[in-house]
Amino acid sequence: MSGFIDWLETLNAQDTKVRAMLRRSLAFDPGQFVQAFPYVEPFVKNEGNSWRRDMHYLVASLWAAHWREGRVGKRLPIGQACAAHQLQSGSASAERRFINLLDADRDQLAHRLRQMTALLKEQDIDFDTMLKDLLAWNDDQKRTQNAWARSFYRTLNQDTHNQSATATETTE
């Protein structure tokens, strides 16, 4: 885990109000809920960079809303988590929502990520990777969005390939 998520996990172990405050911050634009400042500001190194600051607040609030006691499974990057959800639920809307997330601009991103993480409540999301990826969201070549899409479609195709191989083996 990154220092940031480790920090949040440590604070949470000491006092669960940390999660409550960070969850409450979802009702505000990232970085606008004053009660969340003590938990995030120590990790915002460049206060002049509003994107970096906003993404730390967003990931902290998403982590808090998504946190569940006893999660010990492999943490999945968001693309894989979305694909796993689609495979488990059989819902075609997951792909549509995922594509909408990939197409989100600066103003839409927080809202669409809130929706997506709520949809993925059963998946163990890798928030460390999410933060790292979101810090590069506005890259002109859309490297983050492309990486998330590759992860999503490779996971879907891998499962489809595995199912085809299993079906072939059982018919022989």
Side-chain angles (χ1 to χ4, degrees):
M1 277 194 258
S2 75
F4 183 58
I5 299 299
D6 278 343
W7 163 258
L8 295 176
E9 290 283 356
T10 300
L11 289 175
N12 179 58
Q14 296 168 0
D15 187 355
T16 57
K17 80 173 184 175
V18 172
R19 273 194 343 270
M21 285 297 154
L22 292 172
R23 268 193 319 267
R24 248 171 95 201
S25 73
L26 278 173
F28 300 83
D29 287 337
Q32 300 302 309
F33 186 64
V34 176
Q35 286 85 348
F37 286 7
Y39 313 120
V40 180
E41 286 301 319
F43 283 86
V44 182
K45 295 177 181 144
N46 181 0
E47 292 188 29
N49 185 335
S50 64
W51 182 258
R52 179 180 168 76
R53 184 175 185 273
D54 289 352
M55 291 305 98
H56 275 79
Y57 278 95
L58 177 60
V59 169
S61 63
L62 294 172
W63 167 84
H66 196 266
W67 190 91
R68 299 287 182 276
E69 184 76 45
R71 286 194 186 201
V72 293
K74 181 182 181 235
R75 291 191 167 100
L76 301 175
I78 193 79
Q80 286 181 0
C82 289
H85 171 76
Q86 181 169 325
L87 292 167
Q88 290 171 356
S89 69
S91 170
S93 70
E95 181 177 16
R96 186 179 68 248
R97 286 179 184 219
F98 181 69
I99 290 170
N100 286 337
L101 171 61
L102 295 179
D103 194 37
D105 63 20
R106 301 176 75 102
D107 297 329
Q108 302 164 331
L109 183 60
H111 174 72
R112 290 190 180 165
L113 268 172
R114 282 184 211 120
Q115 290 179 324
M116 186 56 74
T117 55
L119 182 69
L120 301 175
K121 64 183 175 274
E122 300 303 319
Q123 304 301 321
D124 199 359
I125 298 172
D126 183 347
F127 287 98
D128 293 319
T129 300
M130 180 188 287
L131 177 60
K132 178 183 70 74
D133 291 347
L134 290 174
L135 292 174
W137 187 262
N138 295 314
D139 176 68
D140 290 339
Q141 296 178 352
K142 297 194 175 284
R143 288 183 181 109
T144 295
Q145 295 87 331
N146 288 323
W148 287 12
R150 280 191 303 275
S151 176
F152 178 82
Y153 288 107
R154 284 180 182 159
T155 302
L156 284 182
N157 289 334
Q158 179 181 12
D159 188 73
T160 302
H161 176 71
N162 290 344
Q163 288 176 1
S164 296
T166 303
T168 303
E169 291 170 5
T170 58
T171 59
E172 292 177 355

